[in-house]
């Protein structure tokens, strides 16, 4: 007997296959509770140049000359002046260009963009500028040039056009210019012609014509499409710590992010300073991608908007959790509470009755955005948080009883802050509690049962896993194994869809030249982008979510990487819309595992479907700009016969079986 046992073990090692067969009982005849449509969503924060320099289509940095160093991002040459009595009162600075005074000298400006300006050969770009001739003494021609500063060719400019400015009144000028070359780190250069009159220029802007959905003030197409292709159920915005600000003055103020784009005041980005080892002194928020653009994008990609607003506490990592002048006292909170109430009106209100709703209509969206959620506070902790949150909840409830309010459990997945805040959120009657976990592989492997024993049922807040990602130990970047850990953990979200209402991986975007934080879901430079392994995991869950849970157990227990489960994680769902079963299995171990799917109640005969496999032989493999599809899911056809099905859960693999009823 011992000998045979030894032989079997030896064979198992030889094939890399575990000898044991795992029997998963899937109860296909009992359709369980609903999986919320919001379950898998996205979290956007302007970190890593996610907005300006990222999703926002604008290519010009510091377009309104409002950075504290007013020419940051610009090179000005010849005779120029900075003026501050421009046509937009919240962005009063502009530039006056005078004739150089010499036929062989030039006056003009050159913008460096965000880590350069990306131009694509044959693509059209819309250049706009507000301008006037202040003395009204004749027309001024401004040459508009797309340049490649690093070329060894004769001429740096590869495309050129012009605008002719006339009259003393400020007017908007526009010209569409085709790029005759592909350049990833180009510039935009403006030059006066010789013997020119004086001209004033303000809000100098350049967008690709081909932005997402062709929207005015639009979004970079490849990045917005990557979001659309995730089919997110919910869209959290605008952060993150950015909601709180390094101080109260630099918190995200949504009212500054709506209305005429030229008149949205600049904000210093919270991520300008945080890490001295990844320091970007030119990181500001133009608010060009503001709350209107956010609600519009949510609608376009079919996600429920979930705005997060300040609770009157600036970032507690930077300012502590005790009452001080960095935080707002409870009796001074009304303007902050009004921000929440007014945002609900901006999103949902009647334009005939409310000025914020009227602004929404004037901006082009008379119909409501149908906002259902609002989160108040980001990663707050200590007694100051529930104290501040209370009056927000009271006033929002009173005026908008149907809006669901999300409170936070702080920055940690467990521990003192977390243990203190959950009961506080219950006391205050929060509808959902936001949990954050950036943790290593082991944490994810150990957390497969996290939500199995959460309090559930009437009166209990639901969970919003509002920020999470596997930060590989010593390997803190987007590699396959980290994504596999996330896939394993997400079986727990799915199995507990009665407790977990939504989850958003974080952060979403990163510019390869400007990141402060990784891993992230989507990476890009000025011309190209790619989806990380974690993106694909999120997308696989979202596209294969199903509408209802079904029970999947092994020896009566959830499959969650526990003892005797050989690193397997699994969950099952049913999709009422397509009448399909969806079984997800994640094998986090390095041996193949035999699994018998005991499909209790499944009709006899053939059930056709698809099998989607996400695997890499190299655990630290990653997608890159040069090899964007190094690790992607592979789909094949599937035929299930009968109520018992043998499958192999291959080592280090996330597999989805999807088959008809
Ligand atoms: O996602 C990056 C940061 O992580 C968020 O701003 C913050 O909420 C968390 O600490």
């Amino acid at each position: 007997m011992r000998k045979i046992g030894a032989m079997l073990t030896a064979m198992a090692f030889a094939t890399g296959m575990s000898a044991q067969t795992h029997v998963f009982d899937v109860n296909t005849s009992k359709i369980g509770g609903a999986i919320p449509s919001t379950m898998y969503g996205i979290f956007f924060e302007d970190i890593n140049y996610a907005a300006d320099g990222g999703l926002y289509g604008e290519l010009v940095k510091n377009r309104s000359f409002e950075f504290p160093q007013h020419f940051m991002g610009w090179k000005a040459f010849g005779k120029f002046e900075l003026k501050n009595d421009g046509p937009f009162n919240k962005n009063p600075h502009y530039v006056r260009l005078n004739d150089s005074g010499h036929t062989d000298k030039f006056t003009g400006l050159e913008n460096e963009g965000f880590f350069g300006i990306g131009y694509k050969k044959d693509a059209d770009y819309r250049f706009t500028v507000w301008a006037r001739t202040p003395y009204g003494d004749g027309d001024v021609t401004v040459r508009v040039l797309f340049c490649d500063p690093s070329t060894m060719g004769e001429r740096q400019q590869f495309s050129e056009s012009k605008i002719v400015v006339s009259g003393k009144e400020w007017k908007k000028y526009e010209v569409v210019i085709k790029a005759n070359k592909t350049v990833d780190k180009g510039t935009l250069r403006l030059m006066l012609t010789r013997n020119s009159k004086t001209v004033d220029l303000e809000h100098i802007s350049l967008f690709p014509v081909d932005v997402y959905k062709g929207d005015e003030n639009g979004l970079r197409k490849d990045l917005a499409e990557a979001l659309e292709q995730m089919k997110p159920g919910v869209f959290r915005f605008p952060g993150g710590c950015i909601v709180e600000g390094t101080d109260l003055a630099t918190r995200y103020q949504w009212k500054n992010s709506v209305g005429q784009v030229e008149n949205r005041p600049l904000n210093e980005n919270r991520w300008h300073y945080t890490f001295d080892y990844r320091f970007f002194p030119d990181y500001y928020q133009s608010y060009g991608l503001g709350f209107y653009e956010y609600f519009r994008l949510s609608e376009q990609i079919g996600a429920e908007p979930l705005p997060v607003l300040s609770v009157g506490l600036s970032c507690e990592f930077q300012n502590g959790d005790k009452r001080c002048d960095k935080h707002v006292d409870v009796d001074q909170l009304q303007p902050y509470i009004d921000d929440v109430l007014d945002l609900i009106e901006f999103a949902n209100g009647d334009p005939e009755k409310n000025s914020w709703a009227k602004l929404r209509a004037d901006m082009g969206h008379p119909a409501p955005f149908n906002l259902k959620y609002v989160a108040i506070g980001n990663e707050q902790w200590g007694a100051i948080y529930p104290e501040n949150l209370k009056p927000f909840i009271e006033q929002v409830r009173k005026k908008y009883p149907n809006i669901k309010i999300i409170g936070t459990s702080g920055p940690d997945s467990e521990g003192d802050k977390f243990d203190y805040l959950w009961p506080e959120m219950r006391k205050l009657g929060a509808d959902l509690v936001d949990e954050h976990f950036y943790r290593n592989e082991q944490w994810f492997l150990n957390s497969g049962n996290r939500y199995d024993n959460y309090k559930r049922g009437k009166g209990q807040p639901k969970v919003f896993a509002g920020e999470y990602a596997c930060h590989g130990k010593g390997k803190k970047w987007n590699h396959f194994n980290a994504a596999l850990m996330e896939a394993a953990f997400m079986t727990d979200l799915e199995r507990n869809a009665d407790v977990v209402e939504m989850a958003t991986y974080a952060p979403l975007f990163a510019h390869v030249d400007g990141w402060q934080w990784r891993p992230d879901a989507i990476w890009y430079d000025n011309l190209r982008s790619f989806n990380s392994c974690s993106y694909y995991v999120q997308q696989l869950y979202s596209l294969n979510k199903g509408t209802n849970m079904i029970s999947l157990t092994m020896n009566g227990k959830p499959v969650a990487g526990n003892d005797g489960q050989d690193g397997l994680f699994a969950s099952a769902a049913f999709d009422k819309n397509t009448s399909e079963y969806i079984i997800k299995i994640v094998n986090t171990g390095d041996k193949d595992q035999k699994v018998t799917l005991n499909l209790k109640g499944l009709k006899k005969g053939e059930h056709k479907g698809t099998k989607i496999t996400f695997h890499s032989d190299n655990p630290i493999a990653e997608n890159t700009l040069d090899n964007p599809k190094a690790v992607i899911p592979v789909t094949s056809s599937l035929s299930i016969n009968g109520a018992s099905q043998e499958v192999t859960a291959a080592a280090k693999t996330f597999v989805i079986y999807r088959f008809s009823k």
Side-chain angles (χ1 to χ4, degrees):
M1 275 302 281
R2 271 175 72 191
K3 207 167 167 193
I4 293 173
M7 269 171 64
L8 280 176
T9 313
M11 275 171 64
F13 272 107
T15 57
M17 167 80 83
S18 159
Q20 193 193 349
T21 295
H22 306 271
V23 180
F24 289 1
D25 295 311
V26 186
N27 192 349
T28 64
S29 53
K30 191 161 178 235
I31 305 301
I35 297 173
S37 63
T38 49
M39 185 58 131
Y40 307 110
I42 52 176
F43 160 68
F44 179 95
E45 175 167 26
D46 189 1
I47 185 172
N48 307 319
Y49 288 81
D52 297 299
L55 182 60
Y56 186 42
E58 177 63 84
L59 298 170
V60 173
K61 181 163 75 187
N62 190 14
R63 62 188 172 188
S64 295
F65 305 96
E66 296 299 333
F67 283 23
Q69 293 177 43
H70 294 279
F71 284 102
M72 199 175 237
W74 294 96
K75 282 177 191 149
F77 45 91
K79 287 205 170 144
F80 60 89
E81 295 165 72
L82 179 75
K83 310 284 287 181
N84 68 355
D85 58 348
F88 306 111
N89 64 321
K90 293 179 189 161
N91 287 325
H93 293 91
Y94 62 95
V95 163
R96 175 161 296 174
L97 300 181
N98 301 299
D99 184 63
S100 72
H102 189 292
T103 49
D104 275 344
K105 290 186 182 176
F106 310 114
T107 289
L109 289 166
E110 181 160 17
N111 192 272
E112 67 186 28
F114 301 91
F115 316 102
I117 294 177
Y119 293 104
K120 278 188 195 153
K121 187 170 183 328
D122 295 331
D124 288 330
Y125 294 83
R126 179 171 287 113
F127 170 82
T128 58
V129 61
W130 286 80
R132 67 172 181 180
T133 57
Y135 308 118
D137 51 355
D139 293 356
V140 174
T141 298
V142 180
R143 297 170 68 203
V144 184
L145 302 102
F146 296 169
C147 296
D148 176 3
S150 62
T151 183
M152 289 299 285
E154 212 62 55
R155 298 162 70 80
Q156 292 175 322
Q157 62 262 42
F158 53 87
S159 296
E160 174 162 357
S161 189
K162 64 177 185 202
I163 54 156
V164 179
V165 181
S166 60
K168 282 170 83 166
E169 300 308 315
W170 286 102
K171 281 181 283 198
K172 188 174 177 180
Y173 293 83
E174 174 178 323
V175 58
V176 171
I177 309 170
K178 194 177 284 305
N180 294 319
K181 188 177 170 185
T182 294
V183 175
D184 65 343
K185 289 186 184 297
T187 63
L188 171 71
R189 190 179 289 163
L190 308 178
M191 293 175 89
L192 296 189
T193 52
R194 292 182 210 284
N195 298 319
S196 176
K197 306 289 184 206
T198 295
V199 69
D200 290 339
L201 303 178
E202 159 68 315
H203 197 90
I204 300 171
S205 169
L206 186 71
F207 275 76
V209 168
D210 191 17
V211 287
Y212 182 62
K213 308 272 186 206
D215 288 330
E216 201 185 319
N217 193 39
L219 306 179
R220 183 170 150 175
K221 198 175 180 186
D222 57 335
L223 301 185
E225 283 180 349
L227 299 184
E228 182 184 289
Q229 286 156 14
M230 285 176 103
K231 281 215 186 313
V234 68
F235 185 177
R236 174 174 174 217
F237 179 95
C241 295
I242 222 165
V243 168
E244 305 151 75
T246 305
D247 43 39
L248 288 167
T250 54
R251 75 190 189 279
Y252 196 105
Q253 299 196 48
W254 77 265
K255 287 174 178 165
N256 288 341
S257 81
V258 295
Q260 188 181 10
V261 76
E262 290 86 344
N263 212 13
R264 300 182 191 175
L266 191 81
N267 192 33
E268 182 184 271
N269 191 303
R270 154 75 175 70
W271 296 102
H272 177 126
Y273 294 113
T274 305
F275 305 118
D276 62 0
Y277 51 90
R278 295 203 70 82
F279 178 52
F280 295 94
D282 63 349
Y283 202 0
Y284 291 87
Q285 295 178 275
S286 71
Y287 282 145
L289 194 183
F291 262 75
Y292 178 81
E293 292 74 22
Y294 157 60
F295 283 130
R296 180 177 66 185
L297 180 61
S298 303
E299 188 172 73
Q300 287 166 334
I301 62 178
E304 295 291 350
L306 192 174
V308 189
L309 281 93
S310 166
V311 69
L313 303 175
S314 57
C315 181
E316 290 180 53
F317 285 110
Q318 295 170 315
N319 300 287
D321 62 3
K322 299 284 171 284
R323 293 271 167 219
C324 65
D325 62 356
K326 302 290 187 289
H327 304 311
V328 183
D329 287 341
V330 177
D331 61 356
Q332 302 294 311
L333 279 173
Q334 197 55 46
Y336 292 75
I337 299 172
D338 288 343
D339 277 354
V340 178
L341 303 175
D342 292 340
L343 182 70
I344 296 170
E345 286 297 332
F346 179 73
N348 294 351
D350 179 347
E352 303 286 324
K353 296 188 181 143
N354 180 279
S355 60
W356 290 109
K358 179 171 184 312
L359 178 60
R360 180 195 74 231
D362 292 346
M363 290 182 76
H365 203 287
F369 281 116
N370 203 11
L371 177 68
K372 300 187 182 82
Y373 298 92
V374 62
I376 303 167
N378 174 46
E379 285 180 347
Q380 324 298 158
W381 65 85
I384 53 175
Y385 177 54
E387 284 163 15
N388 274 28
L389 182 60
K390 190 166 183 275
F392 282 83
I393 295 192
E394 285 165 357
Q395 292 196 38
V396 174
R397 285 266 183 267
K398 195 163 168 213
K399 221 166 159 197
Y400 307 103
N402 295 327
I403 293 281
K404 287 193 181 178
I405 302 173
I406 303 175
T408 174
S409 57
D412 299 325
S413 46
E414 51 271 303
D416 293 351
K417 298 181 176 98
F418 184 90
D419 292 344
Y420 167 70
L421 284 171
W422 252 100
E424 290 296 316
M425 293 306 104
R426 283 195 187 95
K427 264 192 251 161
L428 289 173
D431 296 294
L432 292 99
V433 177
D434 183 11
E435 299 188 350
H436 293 181
F437 23 94
Y438 297 105
R439 294 291 187 261
N440 65 24
E441 292 91 338
Q442 202 52 52
W443 185 93
F444 278 84
L445 289 172
N446 293 344
S447 299
N449 297 103
R450 181 177 176 91
Y451 296 113
D452 287 336
N453 298 315
Y454 261 49
K455 292 188 181 157
R456 53 233 302 147
K458 218 167 174 271
Q460 288 299 332
K462 298 282 179 91
V463 171
F464 169 35
E467 287 183 37
Y468 69 98
C470 176
H471 283 199
K473 198 166 182 195
K475 301 184 189 71
K476 198 163 160 281
W477 71 85
N478 284 102
H479 53 77
F480 172 74
N481 197 49
L484 191 72
M485 297 299 119
E486 290 151 6
F489 171 73
M490 289 171 79
T491 55
D492 184 40
L493 304 179
E494 187 161 282
R495 187 172 58 249
N496 291 293
D498 56 330
V499 166
V500 184
E501 189 161 321
M502 48 180 76
T504 54
Y505 175 91
L508 192 53
F509 284 125
H511 194 296
V512 292
D513 294 329
W515 61 272
Q516 299 91 49
W517 181 292
R518 65 178 178 175
D520 307 285
I522 301 165
W523 288 80
Y524 45 89
D525 64 9
N526 291 338
L527 294 175
R528 302 170 296 169
S529 56
F530 71 90
N531 303 326
S532 67
C533 293
S534 293
Y535 171 98
Y536 286 113
V537 165
Q538 294 298 317
Q539 188 188 43
L540 285 173
Y541 267 89
S542 191
L543 299 185
N544 297 285
K545 175 163 53 70
T547 53
N548 293 73
M549 298 177 277
I550 40 180
S551 151
L552 184 156
T553 53
M554 185 175 141
N555 298 325
K557 293 195 181 120
V559 182
N562 297 318
D563 285 351
Q565 297 188 333
D566 290 319
L568 292 171
F569 294 72
S571 59
F574 181 68
D575 192 326
K576 282 187 173 166
N577 301 319
T578 60
S579 278
E580 286 172 299
Y581 296 106
I582 305 166
I583 298 178
K584 301 186 179 79
I585 305 177
V586 184
N587 182 354
T588 59
D590 48 18
K591 283 197 186 65
D592 294 354
Q593 300 291 342
K594 281 189 278 186
V595 174
T596 300
L597 295 175
N598 185 14
L599 302 165
K600 199 177 143 205
L602 190 71
K603 269 198 309 203
K604 283 199 182 119
E606 191 188 11
H607 298 261
K608 289 201 161 147
T610 47
K611 174 181 170 187
I612 308 164
T613 308
F614 192 50
H615 169 78
S616 171
D617 288 336
N618 174 8
I620 56 165
E622 57 181 324
N623 296 329
T624 61
L625 283 172
D626 292 330
N627 193 3
K629 305 235 163 200
V631 196
I632 55 168
V634 177
T635 303
S636 55
S637 56
L638 172 75
S639 171
I640 299 267
N641 268 298
S644 178
Q645 184 75 32
E646 307 291 322
V647 297
T648 299
K652 295 276 176 203
T653 300
F654 172 26
V655 62
I656 302 176
Y657 299 97
R658 189 171 180 132
F659 52 93
S660 59
K661 192 171 164 184

